């Protein structure tokens, strides 16, 4: 089997975890080996970096924040993702370089191109075969996170609504610029409708033909 690298992107509360679980089950039913992972925090080292970037109490300089995400990514891609793709697995990853571009590059104002090039260097140029963008109104996403977890927001989630609006816009702009790689799904639809759209797009990539 040919290894594949599929990434999921979107704001908080868009349903990435639910969709990843449903897609994993479907891929496994069709005999594919799936590695589900995430950034930040897909490795033991990454879990420690995740703790810093999401829960550090004091200020983190924006460039340091960008480099922490990049450090997590460098280690994760080299030690976990590339070996899985080389084995022929399907890697289904929650967040990747596009998140750094949207959050640090655009919303934090560090510059989309700078942040993308740092991340591409960190990942030694690994590109996703397909990126699923779960697009959702910011207020709706926030309400979903609050309902699921109570009002405990991490460092990034605690940013103002305008920050998250900027993130949303940045993701949509990236999708428009690269329609071959991105599939944009309306995450306000019921979970099974969203999942169907994802399966239709991913099926041909992983050799599953449901007719
Ligand atoms: P995520 O794991 O999706 O959060 P949760 O599991 O709490 O839903 O992502 C953690 C946060 O990190 C999220 O707010 C987005 C942010 N993030 C960046 O700012 N830059 C990045 O490069 C990545 C990967 C995530």
């Amino acid at each position: 089997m040919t290894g594949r690298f599929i990434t999921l992107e979107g704001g908080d509360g868009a349903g990435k975890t639910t969709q990843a679980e449903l897609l994993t089950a479907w891929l496994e039913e069709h005999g594919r080996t799936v590695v589900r992972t995430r950034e930040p925090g897909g490795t033991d080292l990454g879990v420690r970096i995740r703790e810093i970037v999401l829960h550090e109490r004091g200020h983190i300089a924006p460039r340091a924040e960008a480099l922490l995400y990049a450090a997590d990514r460098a280690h994760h891609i080299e030690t976990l993702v590339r070996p899985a793709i080389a084995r022929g697995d399907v890697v289904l990853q929650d967040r990747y370089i596009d998140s750094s571009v949207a959050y640090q590059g655009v919303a934090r104002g560090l510059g989309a191109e700078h942040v993308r090039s740092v991340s591409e260097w960190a990942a030694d140029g690994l590109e996703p075969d397909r990126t699923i963008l779960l697009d959702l109104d910011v207020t709706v996403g926030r309400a979903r996170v609050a309902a699921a977890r109570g009002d405990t927001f991490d460092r990034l989630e605690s940013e103002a609504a305008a920050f998250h609006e900027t993130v949303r816009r940045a993701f949509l702009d990236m999708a428009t610029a690269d329609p071959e790689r991105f599939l944009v799904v309306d995450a306000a639809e019921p979970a099974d409708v969203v999942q169907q759209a994802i399966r239709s797009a991913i099926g041909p990539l992983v050799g599953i033909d449901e007719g």
Side-chain angles (χ1 to χ4, degrees):
M1 299 255 192
T2 312
R4 295 292 185 200
F5 183 34
I6 299 165
T7 57
L8 285 149
E9 298 283 4
D12 300 305
K16 294 190 301 301
T17 306
T18 305
Q19 294 302 325
E21 279 168 5
L22 293 169
L23 189 62
T24 299
W26 180 72
L27 289 166
E28 287 177 348
E29 274 164 31
H30 287 82
R32 299 298 310 244
T33 302
V34 180
V35 174
R36 252 195 77 196
T37 188
R38 66 171 180 180
E39 290 184 1
T43 61
D44 290 344
L45 176 70
V47 169
R48 285 146 71 196
I49 297 174
R50 181 182 173 94
E51 183 58 29
I52 298 171
V53 275
L54 297 188
H55 303 296
E56 175 75 13
R57 286 179 185 274
H59 172 69
I60 299 182
R63 285 170 194 249
E65 180 182 279
L67 290 169
L68 285 165
Y69 282 113
D72 165 74
R73 178 161 300 135
H75 186 70
H76 181 231
I77 294 301
E78 180 173 318
T79 64
L80 192 139
V81 175
R82 283 190 190 272
I85 297 170
R87 285 195 302 269
D89 298 350
V90 177
V91 176
L92 193 53
Q93 179 167 319
D94 200 332
R95 298 193 184 278
Y96 188 45
I97 295 176
D98 301 314
S99 274
S100 284
V101 173
Y103 285 82
Q104 282 69 50
V106 182
R108 288 264 192 252
L110 293 176
E113 289 314 313
H114 285 310
V115 169
R116 184 172 292 282
S117 78
V118 166
S119 261
E120 285 178 352
W121 179 79
D124 202 10
L126 183 68
E127 287 181 13
D129 293 297
R130 211 74 209 273
T131 298
I132 300 156
L133 174 58
L134 296 174
D135 178 56
L136 186 64
D137 178 87
V138 167
T139 315
V140 176
R142 212 175 168 72
R144 283 190 189 171
V145 173
R149 259 199 270 136
D151 279 319
T152 50
F153 294 114
D154 65 37
R155 276 185 64 250
L156 276 290
E157 287 165 349
S158 308
E159 288 291 337
F163 179 92
H164 294 286
E165 294 288 356
T166 305
V167 166
R168 183 186 186 196
R169 190 70 256 155
F171 277 130
L172 287 170
D173 289 346
M174 282 185 255
T176 304
D178 194 354
E180 302 255 291
R181 174 163 69 90
F182 277 91
L183 167 74
V184 184
V185 186
D186 178 1
E189 294 284 337
D192 57 328
V193 175
V194 173
Q195 181 62 199
Q196 207 43 57
I198 294 173
R199 288 179 186 180
S200 302
I202 296 303
L205 180 71
V206 295
I208 301 174
D209 177 10
E210 294 230 302

